[in-house]
Amino acid sequence: MTLYALEALDDALDATRAFLRPRDRTDWVKLAIVVFFLGGVGGNTPLQYTTGGDGGTGGTPSGGMPIEFGPRVWLLVAAVVAAVVLVALVFGLIGSIMEFVFVECLREETVAVRRFWSRRWRQGVRLFAFRIAIGLLVLGGVAVLLLPVLAPLFDVGPFGGVGGGVSIALLVLLVPVFVLFALIAGLVEAFTTAFVVPIMILEDRNVLPAWRRLWSTITAQWQQYLAYAVAAFLLGLVGGLLVGIGVLIGAVVLLAPFGLLAAIGVALYVLVSELAGIVVVAVVAFAYFLAVLALAALVQVPVLTYLRYYALLVLGDVDADLDLIAERRAAIRAADDADGDGGGDGGDDPPTAA
């Protein structure tokens, strides 16, 4: 049996070259902005915490005075949490719409962010709502799984009062369940991004009808999607490594000019004014941070372009009725047939329709 996930590896590279080679700096900037909101820069930060203490000193400073949190402190904490949640929601909403913008750019081989935004923002809102629902479902599932483990800490429910702390043995037993749960949630999110979004674009469907359309192909050719899942995971690891190396090299290169500007700020701090020096150093540090973010987004553009084309090629091979890039596919494979070794890049010229 032919595995489309293997056949599409070289074709996705040809499609990526064909899409990116004609781009000017303006297009690259637009694509970097789109990629930034897709979550290409940054990553998931694991939340780590510790519990317990040394007996009598927990919850008190070294001087022995108890720590008291007044209403103002709690109000400030609530305001900060609300602000973070609001920013995350806005970022997620924009990112969901940008999923459609990015696929439309690849489909039509032109970078027109405003046009595609206007065309697809409603579907992006529906995708955002679906992602929120999946996120709440995941959080709820994790809470249910952790309830028998954490309940002894709070002496609540049927598990309360059993022992004095977290049940390590029960937690170990639940690890395979957590792994399976995370795998299913990850596959749902990955397949939604890679396949459901293109189906929504092609057939003008909402999220759930598009998932039902995709599911009919998964049940018919599950081996192809399993091969894709494995290959996409490995490609993601390789792509993440390449992006990390590129960003690291660029960040080191950027240290030279920004380090010089920071040195000026230090000189101002020592010779002229402490306030002026601190302001200059702070501004330079913030500008350096923004420059690294912009660099990361730019480096991510070819990687995400390749991964999206790869998914589109696999989807079109599985079901020709779901092929968003039929012209590009035909041009690439015609060039491969002409070269006779499957390694040509004769599909580099975008179709005139773009």
Side-chain angles (χ1 to χ4, degrees), residues 21-336:
R21 277 182 177 175
R23 303 298 140 212
D24 56 20
R25 274 180 283 184
T26 301
D27 285 345
W28 275 87
V29 170
K30 291 179 181 179
L31 289 170
I33 293 173
V34 172
V35 166
F36 174 79
F37 283 105
L38 293 182
V41 290
N44 295 325
T45 302
L47 300 178
Q48 299 177 348
Y49 62 93
T50 56
T51 58
D54 57 357
T57 61
T60 62
S62 58
M65 295 296 294
I67 300 175
E68 296 183 359
F69 295 99
R72 292 184 178 179
V73 175
W74 287 114
L75 183 62
L76 177 60
V77 171
V80 171
V81 171
V84 171
V85 171
L86 179 61
V87 170
L89 290 175
V90 171
F91 195 97
L93 175 60
I94 296 174
S96 296
I97 300 173
M98 287 298 188
E99 295 285 3
F100 293 89
V101 172
F102 192 48
V103 174
E104 284 280 30
C105 289
L106 302 183
R107 178 193 188 189
E108 298 196 9
E109 301 199 12
T110 184
V111 182
V113 177
R114 284 184 295 179
R115 172 161 40 109
F116 298 147
W117 177 288
S118 299
R119 182 187 300 175
R120 299 295 176 183
W121 70 267
R122 293 176 181 83
Q123 289 178 307
V125 171
R126 297 186 184 101
L127 175 63
F128 175 66
F130 177 80
R131 285 175 165 175
I132 291 293
I134 293 297
L136 292 176
L137 183 62
V138 169
L139 289 177
V142 171
V144 170
L145 291 174
L146 286 178
L147 181 60
V149 178
L150 299 181
L153 291 177
F154 306 99
D155 195 22
V156 296
F159 303 97
V162 181
V166 175
S167 173
I168 303 299
L170 184 57
L171 185 60
V172 171
L173 291 175
L174 286 175
V175 167
V177 181
F178 279 115
V179 172
L180 179 61
F181 195 64
L183 179 62
I184 294 174
L187 283 175
V188 169
E189 170 60 25
F191 276 34
T192 299
T193 300
F195 301 126
V196 172
V197 167
I199 293 174
M200 293 175 69
I201 291 174
L202 183 64
E203 300 187 347
D204 198 24
R205 295 172 179 254
N206 292 334
V207 183
L208 293 181
W211 249 110
R212 285 193 291 267
R213 180 68 175 88
L214 174 65
W215 187 253
S216 65
T217 68
I218 292 177
T219 54
Q221 301 196 54
W222 61 269
Q223 302 95 331
Q224 300 291 349
Y225 287 100
L226 177 60
Y228 166 82
V230 174
F233 175 75
L234 296 176
L235 289 172
L237 292 180
V238 173
L241 178 62
L242 293 176
V243 168
I245 293 173
V247 172
L248 179 61
I249 294 174
V252 171
V253 172
L254 289 174
L255 277 177
F258 283 97
L260 179 60
L261 294 175
I264 296 174
V266 173
L268 288 175
Y269 179 86
V270 174
L271 301 175
V272 180
S273 168
E274 294 183 357
L275 178 61
I278 292 174
V279 170
V280 169
V281 171
V283 171
V284 170
F286 184 66
Y288 176 75
F289 173 72
L290 293 180
V292 173
L293 283 183
L295 172 66
L298 284 170
V299 174
Q300 283 276 353
V301 167
V303 174
L304 287 185
T305 300
Y306 175 86
L307 292 176
R308 289 295 194 277
Y309 266 128
Y310 179 64
L312 292 175
L313 287 165
V314 172
L315 180 63
D317 280 333
V318 171
D319 189 337
D321 293 335
L322 299 179
D323 193 357
L324 268 74
I325 53 171
E327 291 185 29
R328 173 52 58 195
R329 179 195 308 275
I332 291 172
R333 293 182 177 173
D336 290 346

